[in-house]
Amino acid sequence: MGFDLRGLDEFERSFLQRVIREMPDKVRKKLTELAYRYLADVKRLTPTGETGNLKNSIVVDSVKRVGNEWVVVVGSNAHYAAHVEYGHRIKRGSKYVGFVQGQHMFEIALKQLEEGIENDMKQWLKDIKEGRA
């Protein structure tokens, strides 16, 4: 899933493309910052349960370039993470007797990050132009 940056004007878009091409270290640093901001929000929204294992298992796995794309992986290796995110059926014996609604912690945190991404990117590009980033 990528970010839609329609709010950037033509100059900002072309400048962003130039930064991506010519300054990969700055891009990696910014994406790492965004990944950890997202991670904090996901963890804040994740139910703790008795042990906190799910919350503790959520990590930033990698920030890397794959071809022309930058890929950021944030996730969990807990086998039940998807059940908590999306919900699951409750089974008693051979019958399904209910459904537990998902918490959507990854989805909600991503929407929250997306809401502020355009202004954040504009400020970051301005900082680069002015030598502050």
Side-chain angles (χ1 to χ4, degrees), residues 60-115:
V60 173
D61 184 48
S62 62
V63 176
K64 60 185 172 186
R65 192 163 193 168
V66 178
N68 291 333
E69 304 270 325
W70 283 91
V71 178
V72 179
V73 179
V74 177
S76 169
N77 63 359
H79 69 279
Y80 55 92
H83 299 295
V84 176
E85 175 73 10
Y86 300 112
H88 60 90
R89 296 183 289 183
I90 301 169
K91 190 174 182 179
R92 299 272 190 272
S94 62
K95 294 182 104 177
Y96 291 103
V97 296
F99 185 79
V100 175
Q101 293 294 321
Q103 298 295 310
H104 304 283
M105 60 271 188
F106 286 92
E107 179 183 345
I108 292 168
L110 185 60
K111 284 181 183 176
Q112 290 172 347
L113 183 64
E114 287 175 336
E115 286 173 5

Side-chain angles (χ1 to χ4, degrees), residues 16 26 59 98 125-126:
L16 176 60
K26 288 189 183 300
V59 296
L125 291 172
K126 183 179 177 184

Side-chain angles (χ1 to χ4, degrees), residues 13-61:
R13 284 177 197 262
S14 64
F15 187 62
L16 176 60
Q17 291 304 315
R18 183 173 171 210
V19 169
I20 290 170
R21 245 187 350 266
E22 297 176 12
M23 302 176 189
D25 290 339
K26 288 189 183 300
V27 174
R28 182 175 283 106
K29 182 179 176 184
K30 182 62 176 175
L31 289 176
T32 300
E33 172 195 317
L34 291 171
Y36 279 97
R37 188 182 321 161
Y38 174 63
L39 174 71
D41 288 342
V42 171
K43 286 187 172 198
R44 179 180 48 79
L45 295 167
T46 301
T48 303
E50 292 179 22
T51 63
N53 286 344
L54 177 58
K55 188 177 285 196
N56 293 333
S57 74
I58 302 169
V59 296
V60 173
D61 184 48

